[in-house]
Amino acid sequence: MTLHTPSPAVAAALASGTPVVALESTIITHGMPYPQNLEVARQVEADVRSGGAEPATMAVIDGRLHCGLTDTQLEALAQAKGVAKLSRADMAACMATGGTGATTVAATMIAARIAGIGVFATGGIGGVHKGAEGTFDISADLMELAQTPVTVVAAGAKAILDIPKTLEVLETQGVPVIAYGQDDMPAFWSRSAGLPAPLRMDRASDIAAAQKMRTALGLPGGQLVVNPIPAEAEIDRATLAPIITQATQDADAHGISGKGVTPYLLQRIFELTDGRSLTANIALVRNNARLAAEIATELGKLAQQA
């Protein structure tokens, strides 16, 4: 049983040994409106290609897992209504019933593993929500990182989360958290969360070598590479803190819970920052795509040496 359909470009890249970078699709269907979502998706794919790799945007369409989308499919997905938001728990059900769904971090990692792709670029990972000691609201992304062997390049955990607790869970699960080019842990829209990162690496080649070494050691799971947002695009922590507090209070007041929390908070923060948060989000995703292409290229070099 063939579980996935690679796009012609991704199939050719995998066959020729060209580096491939996986990309998620919830940023397209749930992150911003049409046509901006399509414009950004194309920009991110172009960033990957400019780094010498082939992008593979993941999505389930009519029950079929697509690893890489044609531009026609990308445009259709950007305009689709009622698209499911897929994680580990509901990905198989969506495929089995012929549904259409966009992939979160966890689902994209699963798709990448199936397709044989070792690197994935996203915006920010999910994590431990504030108040999780009472709600037990912890993203499946963290457990996916512990078991699926893909290097994920993100700008840290989303700043709306409890970052110290998120780091604790990642440590418990044995997930390496590697800050790229700095000692601080970045926090999505901000370059620093005010916390030291567990690990630091300054070269894509070192990150690739670490992934190869994990495989050689037989260690399960992937790596989380936290890449700070470009300085010119960041919203500093001091500016964001009261805005996040306000957005969180608004969510509580409206009884928002479960899967609805993150999209509500992101939309509310967009409103409270007069759109700056979305501009920053686009900048950091594109920055992560460029770094992921570098890492994928270095992994390709290591594979040729083997």
Side-chain angles (χ1 to χ4, degrees):
M1 179 180 180
T2 304
L3 293 174
H4 72 291
T5 301
S7 69
V10 169
L14 291 171
S16 67
T18 299
V20 180
V21 172
L23 300 171
E24 62 155 292
S25 49
T26 52
I27 192 172
I28 303 169
T29 57
H30 294 74
M32 57 193 76
Y34 179 83
Q36 187 179 32
N37 58 351
L38 179 60
E39 294 166 4
V40 171
R42 285 171 170 162
Q43 283 176 336
V44 173
E45 288 200 343
D47 289 328
V48 172
R49 291 191 182 100
S50 70
E54 180 62 36
T57 299
M58 307 297 189
V60 173
I61 301 173
D62 297 330
R64 192 74 183 164
L65 175 59
H66 289 263
C67 298
L69 301 179
T70 65
D71 194 66
T72 300
Q73 289 172 324
L74 198 65
E75 186 164 4
L77 188 66
Q79 298 179 71
K81 306 295 183 185
V83 177
K85 185 178 180 181
L86 302 179
S87 191
R88 169 173 278 264
D90 41 24
M91 187 175 183
C94 181
M95 292 174 65
T97 55
T100 294
T103 57
T104 60
V105 168
T108 305
M109 290 183 72
I110 293 167
R113 174 186 56 78
I114 291 169
I117 299 167
V119 184
F120 159 38
T122 186
I125 63 160
V128 179
H129 280 263
K130 292 175 180 177
E133 59 273 18
T135 64
F136 288 85
D137 192 350
I138 301 173
S139 172
D141 295 352
L142 303 186
M143 304 306 139
E144 204 61 52
L145 278 159
Q147 61 187 306
T148 301
V150 175
T151 288
V152 178
V153 182
K158 293 184 176 72
I160 56 177
L161 302 170
D162 189 321
I163 295 177
K165 286 187 176 67
T166 298
L167 283 171
E168 287 293 342
V169 171
L170 288 167
E171 181 184 25
T172 299
Q173 295 295 324
V175 177
V177 179
I178 304 165
Y180 180 69
Q182 66 178 37
D183 295 322
D184 283 7
M185 181 75 184
F188 200 58
W189 298 296
S190 306
R191 289 178 63 83
S192 174
L195 299 166
L199 295 165
R200 170 180 176 164
M201 290 184 181
D202 297 341
R203 299 186 301 176
S205 57
D206 290 337
I207 296 168
Q211 176 167 324
K212 184 177 181 182
M213 186 59 71
R214 284 184 65 81
T215 302
L217 290 169
L219 294 173
Q223 303 183 121
L224 175 60
V225 178
V226 287
N227 184 31
I229 183 173
E232 65 275 11
E234 87 159 323
I235 306 173
D236 67 83
R237 196 158 35 100
T239 300
L240 269 176
I243 292 171
I244 292 172
T245 298
Q246 179 65 56
T248 303
Q249 289 171 349
D250 292 346
D252 291 341
H254 287 89
I256 308 296
S257 62
K259 276 191 174 184
V261 172
T262 295
Y264 176 88
L265 290 177
L266 294 179
Q267 176 59 31
R268 191 72 184 105
I269 291 166
F270 170 80
E271 295 163 2
L272 293 169
T273 59
D274 297 322
R276 277 187 70 199
S277 63
L278 181 56
T279 302
N281 196 352
I282 294 167
L284 66 85
V285 170
R286 295 187 64 187
N287 192 45
N288 294 342
R290 291 187 285 267
L291 177 57
E294 287 186 55
I295 296 167
T297 298
E298 294 298 333
L299 271 174
K301 292 177 183 176
L302 291 174
Q304 291 174 357
Q305 296 169 9

